[in-house]
Amino acid sequence: MRYTSTRDESISCSFEDAVCSGYAPDGGLFVPERLPVIDTQMLREFSTLTFAQLAAKIMRLFISTEEIPDIEIQQICKKSFEDAFESKDSDHDSIIPIVKIGNSHIIELFHGPTFCFKDFGMQAVVNILSYFSTKRNKKINLIVSTTGDTGPACVAAVAGAANPNLTLLVHFPKGQISSFQRKQMTTANSPFVHVASFEGGGDDMDLPIKNILAAADTGIKCCGVNSYNIGRPLIQMIHFVWTYLRVAEQNHMDIGDPSKCLDVIIPTGAMGNIAGAYIAKCCGIPIGKLCAGVNINDITDRVIRKGRFHKSEKMEKTLSEAINIQVPYNFERLLFYLTGQDHELVKAWMTTMEATSKLDLDSTWLERLQETFSSAKVTDHEMCECMKKVKSVYDYFIDPHTSVAISAAEKLGYCLEGENEVGSSMFAILATASPCKFEESVTTAIGIEGWNEYQRLHFPEKAKEIIRKTEVEPTEYLLPDGMTILDVQPQWQKLAQDIMFSTFS
Ligand SMILES: *Cc1c(COP(=O)(O)O)cnc(C)c1O
């Protein structure tokens, strides 16, 4: 299987080259040259596998044996999805419990080492990179920016890989992630991890990182592992296949029956998770509508409902910070598959977007987009009300992002109780993080009594250990008075480069 760029068909590279760099050399995103077909027969075979076995089968479809032999893929999956999740492989429920509330299936994707769905993509991608760095005896330095959960997931994976060839520089927006998330990074105590904070919004380090990745390889190989890296959405398709199989089973449906699709509702930021769902659907998994729940940083909602992909002036603070985003980079992959892999058109669109911060889809493309995608925007107030309601009606605690998804589902006509107003009868809501990560937001929503009750009854033991550890102060990238983000981004880029050379080379 070869990989190409969303913007240029003539680019062709191995999986290793794609996953070890991040962006494609033309600034586009890597995608597989062809998508494999997963038919009903295969799905039936998949239905008896453990998560790690399923992951290995699906990864095999996208990575040739010459690049990673079977035995190594299996080891990577075991390390990523059994050892890291401390799951027992015979137990279907331990890695992704599915909770039924009313009509809906809540897919708890937060039982990994850092209590967030990002552990799925990140564990596997980091272990794959670790495999390649050992195979080539070459150093790889990962560089990441986080809106809160990518960072901890990457820190845990890199610390867990404990490979001197694999190091990480991680950045978070100061004051805009929860104290628990910060601690997950600043208490890592790994010689392979360096943590920095910057005085900006969620994606203000994206451009400096993109420039660093584009700069010539000057001795140290840099690799970006935010979800523009093709490894992330590819691995993230696995939990959608798994979700489909388990929900189909629970509802006694024929596996693969195309007349019974599963709609999914996903709290959406950079669109890496929804891109995984879309790839799964394009490969043939009976997934129906892909629904994005977003907060008031609503570019995704604006493009899905009105065709206007316009970067907004500024990032708004919210109680669901992991989905605070101004430009979701995986939209480019959505466009790529929506257009039937039309590189030229995607290139034209993205060139417009990069030049003007605006892209308008005409009505034909908007209709196409809406055939598969829908979305709803949720305010902080609505998110809080939803969290309160789910607690009081179902005695179930959710995190702010899951609450955005549930609230979005209701706005779109998916009813927790009674008959749905839309779509297929089956739908699943992705619970992307554990409430334990979001004390501040959860307390705002359900009050200190609610938080205390959660802490007493449900707070994970592993999470308590993190709170007790001592923090190491991160390096700070400053925004001096009178300067704008655009002014300081070049300095931040230089700082990041200096850290990589002084610490890791
Ligand atoms: C990252 C994140 C999301 C958004 O996922 P994307 O792939 O960026 O769309 C949703 N919820 C939580 C808790 C997250 O950490």
Side-chain angles (χ1 to χ4, degrees):
M1 172 74 78
R2 305 281 297 173
Y3 284 73
T4 184
S5 165
T6 44
R7 300 184 196 179
D8 183 356
E9 196 173 7
S10 74
I11 290 176
S12 172
C13 70
S14 62
F15 172 74
E16 177 178 354
D17 285 342
V19 79
C20 292
S21 40
Y23 289 98
D26 63 344
L29 299 184
F30 280 118
V31 280
E33 280 185 355
R34 273 166 296 102
L35 286 182
V37 174
I38 300 178
D39 59 23
T40 301
Q41 180 58 32
M42 287 165 91
L43 265 179
R44 290 208 185 108
E45 285 165 20
F46 287 172
S47 70
T48 58
L49 303 178
T50 65
F51 191 91
Q53 289 167 338
L54 174 70
K57 289 274 185 202
I58 294 179
M59 279 160 67
R60 183 77 295 154
L61 302 173
F62 290 91
I63 309 168
S64 68
T65 350
E66 294 75 47
E67 289 202 71
I68 311 183
D70 280 348
I71 183 86
E72 311 283 356
I73 285 218
Q74 285 156 13
Q75 277 167 6
I76 288 169
C77 290
K78 181 177 179 306
K79 184 166 168 51
S80 303
F81 305 119
E82 284 173 14
D83 304 350
F85 279 71
E86 297 174 18
S87 79
K88 289 173 244 7
D89 61 3
S90 59
D91 182 0
H92 265 178
D93 293 338
S94 71
I95 182 158
I96 306 180
I98 299 183
V99 175
K100 198 93 198 278
I101 64 169
N103 280 338
S104 64
H105 302 271
I106 311 280
I107 314 299
E108 291 193 350
L109 294 169
F110 54 77
H111 294 273
T114 70
F115 314 103
C116 174
F117 90 95
K118 290 199 174 72
D119 286 323
F120 286 93
M122 201 59 94
Q123 279 288 332
V125 166
V126 166
N127 286 318
I128 287 168
L129 292 170
S130 175
Y131 167 77
F132 285 128
S133 72
T134 301
K135 180 175 171 185
R136 305 282 176 214
N137 192 23
K138 194 168 174 7
K139 275 185 190 277
I140 301 179
N141 179 66
L142 308 186
I143 182 159
V144 166
S145 178
T146 185
T147 54
D149 290 320
T150 307
C154 197
V155 167
V158 169
N163 181 344
N165 273 340
L166 193 73
T167 50
L168 164 68
L169 170 58
V170 57
H171 303 89
F172 68 87
K174 190 179 173 189
Q176 293 189 42
I177 65 174
S178 76
S179 53
F180 184 83
Q181 291 168 320
R182 191 190 63 239
K183 279 188 192 147
Q184 288 184 297
M185 293 184 275
T186 56
T187 64
N189 191 20
S190 160
F192 310 121
V193 172
H194 190 104
V195 184
S197 72
F198 58 96
E199 294 186 315
D203 41 17
D204 287 336
M205 267 305 287
D206 286 1
L207 185 65
I209 289 177
K210 192 165 187 176
N211 290 338
I212 291 170
L213 295 172
D217 198 352
T218 44
I220 191 159
K221 166 93 186 132
C222 286
C223 170
V225 287
N226 283 94
S227 61
Y228 50 77
N229 187 309
I230 182 59
R232 296 275 310 283
L234 276 190
I235 306 291
Q236 284 165 187
M237 77 175 268
I238 300 164
H239 59 245
F240 288 97
V241 181
W242 176 267
T243 295
Y244 169 76
L245 290 171
R246 299 290 84 83
V247 174
E249 250 163 38
Q250 288 189 6
N251 289 279
H252 311 291
M253 285 166 25
D254 259 355
I255 285 171
D257 179 354
S259 69
K260 295 247 170 47
C261 287
L262 176 72
D263 292 0
V264 289
I265 300 108
I266 309 171
T268 296
M271 290 189 169
N273 208 11
I274 209 167
Y278 195 29
I279 295 173
K281 181 177 164 81
C282 293
C283 290
I285 310 301
I287 292 175
K289 277 259 169 166
L290 309 180
C291 310
V294 304
N295 65 27
I296 57 169
N297 294 292
D298 62 347
I299 180 168
T300 293
D301 186 59
R302 283 179 278 130
V303 72
I304 293 176
R305 287 194 309 105
K306 300 183 196 133
R308 290 206 285 267
F309 193 57
H310 296 188
K311 182 177 177 177
S312 54
E313 291 293 309
K314 73 184 235 288
M315 183 85 80
E316 303 290 344
K317 291 199 175 180
T318 70
L319 295 170
S320 50
E321 281 155 341
I323 53 173
N324 285 358
I325 219 89
Q326 277 175 295
V327 182
Y329 19 62
N330 275 288
F331 188 57
E332 182 165 347
R333 289 196 173 100
L334 267 49
L335 290 175
F336 182 69
Y337 290 113
L338 191 72
T339 59
Q341 314 206 8
D342 188 335
H343 304 258
E344 294 286 318
L345 185 53
V346 171
K347 179 176 179 171
W349 279 339
M350 295 318 295
T351 308
T352 304
M353 181 65 193
E354 282 171 3
T356 63
S357 295
K358 284 192 176 74
L359 166 67
D360 289 291
L361 297 180
D362 67 27
S363 59
T364 316
W365 287 116
L366 179 58
E367 273 168 34
R368 282 254 197 119
L369 186 69
Q370 291 174 343
E371 277 166 20
T372 301
F373 296 91
S374 60
S375 87
K377 168 165 100 171
V378 175
T379 64
D380 272 354
H381 177 72
E382 292 166 328
M383 182 283 286
C384 290
E385 289 304 307
C386 178
M387 196 189 293
K388 250 188 267 180
K389 185 179 92 181
V390 170
K391 180 193 173 301
S392 69
V393 178
Y394 302 100
D395 200 21
Y396 181 60
F397 289 88
I398 52 176
D399 95 293
H401 307 87
T402 306
S403 187
V404 165
I406 295 180
S407 184
E410 292 191 311
K411 286 187 175 202
L412 290 170
Y414 296 94
C415 303
L416 298 186
E417 301 289 345
E419 289 292 304
N420 279 329
E421 291 156 21
V422 284
S424 10
S425 54
M426 286 202 313
F427 65 98
I429 292 170
L430 271 62
T432 47
S434 160
C436 78
K437 303 189 86 167
F438 303 101
E439 176 174 358
E440 297 88 344
S441 296
V442 172
T443 303
T444 306
I446 61 173
I448 186 73
E449 310 77 35
W451 172 258
N452 286 343
E453 183 184 341
Y454 169 74
Q455 251 194 336
R456 206 169 57 245
L457 301 175
H458 305 287
F459 205 85
E461 279 307 316
K462 277 187 301 172
K464 291 182 189 157
E465 286 165 27
I466 290 162
I467 292 177
R468 286 194 289 265
K469 289 186 190 163
T470 336
E471 290 188 74
V472 176
E473 279 300 311
T475 305
E476 291 198 5
Y477 301 180
L478 303 176
L479 177 64
D481 277 347
M483 293 186 85
T484 67
I485 294 290
L486 282 177
D487 298 332
V488 290
Q489 276 175 331
Q491 298 170 20
W492 291 358
Q493 180 181 330
K494 175 92 181 25
L495 281 165
Q497 280 163 322
D498 289 347
I499 292 171
M500 286 183 326
F501 288 115
S502 59
T503 314
F504 296 137
S505 59

